[in-house]
Amino acid sequence: MNEVEAGGHAAYWDAFFAEDDVFYGHVLGFKGLERPVVVLAVNGVRDVARAREMLYTGLSRARSLLVVVGDRSWIEDVGGEAVRRRLTRAQEWTPA
């Protein structure tokens, strides 16, 4: 169950503005709401027509560190050449 389902929209925004170490949110709710560190879990989209917009929003919210978890080829296909170029500078993590 997510924050909105559990406590409504007021609880969702209270959690955001509480400045806790961790805030869980949906990409569509993050326009203009940057954070120092963002972990973007890319696990599919409901609306394929908005996939690129949602990906851009998620990729552009981190001020200091962005961690992207998901299928890199899908992210590059949806994001296009600009995202592909930027990801060449990314540090890839491989679990031990």
Side-chain angles (χ1 to χ4, degrees), residues 14-37:
D14 286 348
F16 176 80
F17 290 112
E19 297 184 22
D20 292 335
D21 289 341
V22 176
F23 171 75
Y24 296 94
H26 191 279
V27 165
L28 292 179
F30 263 76
K31 283 203 175 209
L33 301 174
E34 288 79 13
R35 289 292 221 198
V37 176

Side-chain angles (χ1 to χ4, degrees), residues 52-94:
R52 189 174 191 146
E53 172 192 2
M54 292 171 62
L55 184 60
Y56 168 78
T57 301
L59 291 171
S60 63
R61 298 304 102 174
R63 285 184 246 145
S64 300
L65 177 64
L66 172 65
V67 177
V68 181
V69 180
D71 181 348
R72 185 173 181 153
S73 62
W74 185 89
I75 293 167
E76 289 177 349
D77 288 346
V78 170
E81 188 56 35
V83 169
R84 190 175 288 107
R85 275 195 315 272
R86 286 182 181 94
L87 287 177
T88 62
R89 297 183 303 224
Q91 180 179 3
E92 190 167 330
W93 177 73
T94 305

Side-chain angles (χ1 to χ4, degrees), residues 28-48:
L28 292 179
F30 263 76
K31 283 203 175 209
L33 301 174
E34 288 79 13
R35 289 292 221 198
V37 176
V38 171
V39 177
L40 177 64
V42 181
N43 59 353
V45 294
R46 280 187 245 155
D47 186 355
V48 177

